[in-house]
Amino acid sequence: MKFGNTLLAKRASFPANYAAAFLDYGRLKLLLKQTVASASLATLPHLASVEGEAVTPFDVGAVASRHLATLAVATKEFFLMLDEQVAVVSAFYETEEDRLLKLYSPASADQPLAADKAQEALRGVQKLESYAVLNLTGVAKILKKYARLSGAGPHIAESYMMQLTRGHRFYHNNKLAELKASLLASVAGVAEINLDSPIIPAVSPASHLRASRQMGSTSQVMTVADGNGVGDDTIDRRPSSSVPLLREGKTPTPWFPPAALLPSQRVLITMSGPHGTDIIAALLECISKANLRVDDFSFARLHHHVTFAVLVQLPASPPLDVAFVKDLTATAKRWNANLLFDAQDANTLPPSLEDAPYDNRVKYTATVLNQRGLTPAFLNDFTKMLLTYRISVERMARLNSALAGAMTSVDYKLSVPRDVDVDVFRADLFALSRTHGTDVSLQEANVFRRSKRLVVFDMDSTLIQQEVIDEIARHAGVVDKVAAITESAMRGEIAFAESLRRRVALLKGTPATVLDAVRATITFNPGARELCRCLKKLGYKLAVISGGFIPLANYVKAELGLDYAFANQLRVGPDGKLTGETIGPIVTGERKAELLEVIAQAENITPEQVIAVGDGANDLWMLAAAGLGIAFNAKPKVQERARTRINQNSLTAVLYLLGYSDEDVSTLMNTP
């Protein structure tokens, strides 16, 4: 969510008198766009020309002077408006702070407020603190926007923030901090709470900024945040010792208020730089020395550059010493890293730092595949589709080997709003897939994704390249008639049982030895052996359920190391020739789904843990019965109805859908 929208939402939760005194971030942003942006030095004409086009000469100095003059006027107008709004915020803060001090300051340390009265007062103090932090964040963010749009760099914005530290109480809430300490003492039932060393109050990002200046860092980047994860504006702080860090006092009490009274006890500390694991070790060493509780962490790497973030719990007792901040800043400087502090509101944090910071979402995995390489056009259209559905990308991981050159397979972790119609989204993904010749498999990212235990395959045109009945017909001299019926059945135009009866009838009188001849010609599809070997190494049970014939299905079972084989049985007469009939129930589409369930029950496997792979209309039943049903190079009508499709040369692409990479496959293939 953009900060302007976040600020509006937060402001709406405050009482009317607070809301009326908020920084008008939207108005300031509009003024920047209307005045400063058009006068920016970045809008100067370029001298570069396109080959074959004449360059119109102009006086660079004169044009730049006009821009600077216009920018000066626009800058003055912007800062006048900002001054006016900061004055409103400051005046309201001081009035409200004075009111709270008058109402709730105890007459003496020996006469603290009653606990219930102190809790009421604490809520008022916290409200005012939140108001100050939100508006301070707004100032920092609008200054960053000014620096970017004007092209003037961060120095003017930095100078303005420095002035806030000297002239406004909402930046220095020392009096409010003293009142808060006495109120906490009242709630705790002790005489007073005094601190014998400086601490970092989790609710005051301004104090972090003061700490950074006190440390004398010349390159440290600090964050101003509102406790909602929106503190992404950074300000380069220069050393200054003119501002006292925080107050000092007496011996601390071991009591610490409950989370409800101090909702921002946690701080996200992020270190980013070019030294890989050294930065992880350096940040954790600082946290370890301070003996802070680690609630969560997140890590990202781009070659040698890493970003490591740790969510820590500020200590209850003893208070956090300023030496911790000093240690952090020195460590960051030593490793040439950026350091950020971000105060966190426990009520708005996602369950994990890696999660998108939104409520009411479901996690999905989208695996994209294109053996020729994922094109920028597809990636662009795919991302735009995600934005249309308000879907957030939480993680992207390449699955095919980097040594292969082109990127052919990527796993996305997506955060999908619950109100998204996933069936409609799948239909749009299918249309996108056809446009770009790129497969997109969408699966719910739950425990069952990589805990599948059974894979059931069709045989003809799936595990093997042939349609065996067509091969038998070729030997019988009726291949054209049989092939026409086969195609019609695969397209779903004829019921499978009827099509099988018609085709088998055409084989009457063919010697049964034809099955041996056909078996000798069987060619496995690319990746069939590798896929089955990897799956067996992973402990999967494997089955072939075919509308073909059992002698050939048993051959495939033996060659690939499968556990089960089901198919139709041809009747052979006393003369050793086919009678044109079958024995037993025909393996129709419905029968395939029934056999899938029988195998799963026998192996004590849930349907969610089953994968089915097929290409024909008679496979749709078992594809629907499985937790993951894959149409492999299937007929168009089958692809339209299947939830997942693979249109790649190799069956090993199935492993990508389970989250396995080329490196994983290599390990499995090379394991004895």
Side-chain angles (χ1 to χ4, degrees):
M1 182 183 291
K2 292 183 179 297
F3 177 73
N5 295 332
T6 299
L7 189 61
L8 287 174
K10 290 277 189 178
R11 186 177 70 179
S13 67
F14 280 80
N17 61 329
Y18 272 83
F22 260 74
L23 188 81
D24 193 339
Y25 185 84
R27 186 179 166 205
L28 288 164
K29 182 178 175 182
L30 180 62
L31 179 64
L32 283 177
K33 288 184 177 180
Q34 292 176 340
T35 60
V36 172
S38 60
S40 172
L41 294 177
T43 63
L44 281 173
H46 292 285
L47 288 175
S49 65
V50 179
E51 186 176 354
E53 292 185 4
V55 178
T56 302
F58 64 93
D59 188 334
V60 176
V63 173
S65 296
R66 287 197 297 272
H67 272 264
L68 288 171
T70 307
L71 180 60
V73 174
T75 294
K76 183 177 181 180
E77 184 179 357
F78 166 72
F79 278 101
L80 282 174
M81 182 184 291
L82 182 59
D83 284 341
E84 291 173 1
Q85 295 201 26
V86 168
V88 171
V89 172
S90 184
F92 177 82
Y93 177 89
E94 292 179 12
T95 299
E96 188 64 13
E97 183 184 58
D98 289 341
R99 186 184 71 83
L100 291 171
L101 291 170
K102 183 177 180 181
L103 276 176
Y104 299 116
S105 292
S108 69
D110 297 327
Q111 294 179 328
L113 291 176
D116 58 345
K117 191 73 170 176
Q119 289 193 28
E120 173 189 321
L122 275 172
R123 285 190 287 271
V125 169
Q126 289 176 333
K127 186 189 306 175
L128 186 57
E129 285 179 328
S130 296
Y131 168 82
V133 170
L134 280 169
N135 283 283
L136 181 61
T137 303
V139 172
K141 283 183 173 286
I142 202 65
L143 286 171
K144 179 182 179 182
K145 191 171 289 293
Y146 164 79
R148 178 172 60 82
L149 291 177
S150 67
H155 306 297
I156 297 177
E158 181 180 344
S159 298
Y160 193 92
M161 290 297 292
M162 290 291 288
Q163 291 302 314
L164 286 182
T165 69
R166 297 182 175 91
H168 297 279
R169 276 159 55 185
F170 78 90
Y171 196 98
H172 289 288
N173 49 18
N174 290 340
K175 290 184 180 180
L176 203 66
E178 291 170 2
L179 173 61
K180 188 172 185 177
S182 68
L183 293 172
L184 291 174
S186 297
V187 174
V190 299
E192 60 179 335
I193 295 179
N194 288 317
L195 308 179
D196 63 351
S197 62
I199 64 168
I200 306 174
V203 295
S204 178
S207 63
H208 296 316
L209 300 179
R210 296 199 297 275
S212 71
R213 291 194 300 277
Q214 185 78 4
M215 294 305 101
S217 171
T218 60
S219 61
Q220 218 46 57
V221 178
M222 315 302 286
T223 291
V224 178
D226 70 345
N228 192 34
V230 297
D232 59 349
D233 287 312
T234 56
I235 300 172
D236 189 23
R237 295 293 173 191
R238 299 292 186 255
S240 170
S241 58
S242 61
V243 182
L245 183 63
L246 281 175
R247 60 191 176 85
E248 297 181 357
K250 301 177 183 178
T251 304
T253 173
W255 180 86
F256 198 71
L261 296 179
L262 255 180
S264 298
Q265 305 175 57
R266 296 194 288 181
V267 175
L268 183 65
I269 305 170
T270 304
M271 198 173 286
S272 177
H275 290 285
T277 308
D278 292 313
I279 282 180
I280 300 176
L283 179 51
L284 290 176
E285 182 180 13
C286 294
I287 293 170
S288 175
K289 286 191 290 186
N291 197 29
L292 301 182
R293 190 184 86 187
V294 174
D295 286 353
D296 199 1
F297 59 72
S298 181
F299 175 76
R301 171 185 286 274
L302 180 62
H303 299 292
H304 292 296
H305 192 96
V306 304
T307 297
F308 183 50
V310 184
L311 184 65
V312 298
Q313 180 84 36
L314 294 184
S317 179
L320 186 63
D321 195 89
V322 72
F324 172 62
V325 180
K326 191 172 185 178
D327 191 18
L328 280 173
T329 54
T331 299
K333 186 175 181 180
R334 181 166 67 252
W335 292 106
N336 192 29
N338 289 335
L339 178 66
L340 297 94
F341 296 97
D342 191 354
Q344 298 293 317
D345 183 345
N347 296 322
T348 59
L349 279 175
S352 166
L353 289 179
E354 293 190 351
D355 289 343
Y358 306 108
D359 295 329
N360 204 26
R361 298 233 167 179
V362 183
K363 303 303 169 65
Y364 279 85
T365 293
T367 308
V368 297
L369 304 167
N370 188 327
Q371 63 200 22
R372 295 179 300 278
L374 301 175
T375 65
F378 164 78
L379 295 171
N380 177 49
D381 288 350
F382 178 55
T383 305
K384 286 181 178 177
M385 180 178 291
L386 297 180
L387 290 171
T388 300
Y389 279 93
R390 299 175 290 110
I391 294 173
S392 299
V393 177
E394 293 191 347
R395 188 166 58 247
M396 299 163 60
R398 176 175 178 156
L399 296 178
N400 76 299
S401 172
L403 297 177
M407 189 165 58
T408 61
S409 179
V410 174
D411 225 25
Y412 287 77
K413 183 180 178 183
L414 305 177
S415 174
V416 181
R418 289 188 181 275
D419 60 2
V420 167
D421 188 325
V422 177
D423 289 334
V424 174
F425 179 49
R426 285 184 191 276
D428 283 351
L429 283 178
F430 180 45
L432 182 72
S433 297
R434 289 192 297 184
T435 300
H436 290 278
T438 299
D439 298 324
V440 183
S441 167
L442 187 69
Q443 304 174 63
E444 193 164 343
N446 55 30
V447 67
F448 292 111
R449 193 219 173 176
R450 287 187 67 163
S451 64
K452 299 288 192 292
R453 295 178 53 201
L454 168 65
V455 184
V456 175
F457 296 98
D458 173 47
M459 181 173 71
D460 296 3
S461 299
T462 300
L463 285 176
I464 66 175
Q465 294 182 6
Q466 291 85 1
E467 291 284 340
V468 294
I469 195 167
D470 291 350
E471 297 305 311
I472 297 172
R474 196 180 310 281
H475 287 273
V478 291
V479 63
D480 291 339
K481 294 179 180 179
V482 168
I485 299 172
T486 300
E487 272 300 308
S488 183
M490 290 297 99
R491 292 194 300 266
E493 297 169 353
I494 306 174
F496 181 79
E498 176 60 24
S499 74
L500 185 69
R501 279 191 289 269
R502 292 185 191 180
R503 288 177 290 172
V504 170
L506 292 171
L507 303 178
K508 183 178 180 179
T510 304
T513 54
V514 69
L515 296 174
D516 297 328
V518 170
R519 183 176 58 193
T521 66
I522 283 179
T523 304
F524 288 94
N525 264 322
R529 293 183 184 277
E530 292 82 356
L531 172 61
C532 291
R533 178 172 178 176
C534 289
L535 292 172
K536 293 299 291 184
K537 290 285 178 66
L538 291 167
Y540 280 71
K541 294 294 182 179
L542 306 180
V544 57
I545 304 179
S546 173
F549 306 112
I550 196 65
L552 301 172
N554 281 334
Y555 168 73
V556 169
K557 173 189 171 186
E559 285 291 304
L560 298 181
L562 309 183
D563 301 285
Y564 298 91
F566 294 92
N568 297 300
Q569 180 65 56
L570 291 169
R571 185 184 295 276
V572 180
D575 58 356
K577 296 181 179 181
L578 302 179
T579 66
E581 301 168 308
T582 60
I583 301 173
I586 293 176
V587 181
T588 61
E590 295 93 331
R591 180 64 175 162
K592 284 191 172 189
E594 291 172 0
L595 290 169
L596 180 153
E597 293 177 1
V598 168
I599 299 170
Q601 290 176 6
E603 296 289 347
N604 196 27
I605 294 172
T606 65
E608 291 85 357
Q609 294 176 287
V610 180
I611 301 170
V613 186
D615 74 303
N618 66 321
D619 295 318
L620 284 170
W621 281 267
M622 74 173 187
L623 297 187
L628 176 61
I630 304 170
F632 179 72
N633 291 321
K635 308 301 184 290
K637 286 189 176 181
V638 178
Q639 294 207 33
E640 289 175 7
R641 296 176 61 183
R643 285 175 296 171
T644 302
R645 311 155 195 86
I646 292 179
N647 293 287
Q648 313 296 316
N649 286 339
S650 176
L651 274 165
T652 56
V654 170
L655 293 167
Y656 289 145
L657 271 56
L658 303 180
Y660 295 106
S661 66
D662 282 356
E663 183 179 356
D664 297 327
V665 173
S666 177
T667 299
L668 291 169
M669 290 298 295
N670 293 318
T671 300

